[in-house]
Amino acid sequence: MKKNSLYKGTLQNIILKLLSKEVKMYGYQITQRAKELTLGELEMTEGALYPLLHKLESDGMITSEIQKINGRDRKYYLLTDKGKKQQAEQETEMKSYLLNLQTIFNI
């Protein structure tokens, strides 16, 4: 993440939200979708993304499956039921947080 360190604390929320909108995504696809949606403001590095994906998987929030694409293995990530619940809870918290920040910074 070269442009904005404020995103760092919200990466888990961002990843879970992106996965909630797709059936499954692979790592590079997650980084590119985040970059696209933020008009280039959020540039997730592999060093930030993959440790978090591994943690989410070990916590049971996501699962992964490997598919062969053009003769190469590609690892896709999918939300589990636990991950869907967590994503919904985090989204509610994040919306409240953003509303509070907006209130503070608009005074």
Side-chain angles (χ1 to χ4, degrees):
M1 285 174 294
K2 88 179 180 188
K3 291 197 176 189
N4 196 333
S5 63
L6 291 175
Y7 288 110
K8 188 175 183 179
T10 61
L11 277 184
Q12 177 174 312
N13 303 52
I14 292 167
I15 291 167
L16 292 176
K17 179 64 178 183
L18 291 174
L19 289 172
S20 77
K21 293 296 179 186
E22 301 288 334
V23 175
K24 59 186 174 187
M25 297 177 84
Y26 56 96
Y28 180 75
Q29 185 180 21
I30 293 170
T31 64
Q32 293 307 297
R33 185 68 177 134
K35 186 176 180 179
E36 174 189 322
L37 289 169
T38 62
L39 304 175
E41 286 295 313
L42 175 56
E43 294 186 20
M44 258 187 261
T45 64
E46 289 181 10
L49 175 67
Y50 288 102
L52 190 48
L53 287 172
H54 295 290
K55 180 187 181 315
L56 288 168
E57 191 167 18
S58 71
D59 290 346
M61 302 290 177
I62 64 174
T63 187
S64 62
E65 63 182 39
I66 296 179
Q67 291 183 352
K68 277 227 185 282
I69 306 291
N70 296 327
R72 298 179 68 196
D73 288 344
R74 181 176 286 168
K75 191 172 190 177
Y76 285 91
Y77 299 92
L78 306 87
L79 278 182
T80 62
D81 288 339
K82 181 179 179 181
K84 290 174 186 174
K85 183 179 178 197
Q86 181 70 21
Q87 186 281 318
E89 290 171 4
Q90 285 181 348
E91 185 169 340
T92 299
E93 282 182 38
M94 184 60 69
K95 285 179 178 178
S96 175
Y97 173 73
L98 291 173
L99 181 63
N100 289 330
L101 282 181
Q102 187 175 28
T103 301
I104 291 168
F105 282 99
N106 284 331
I107 57 172

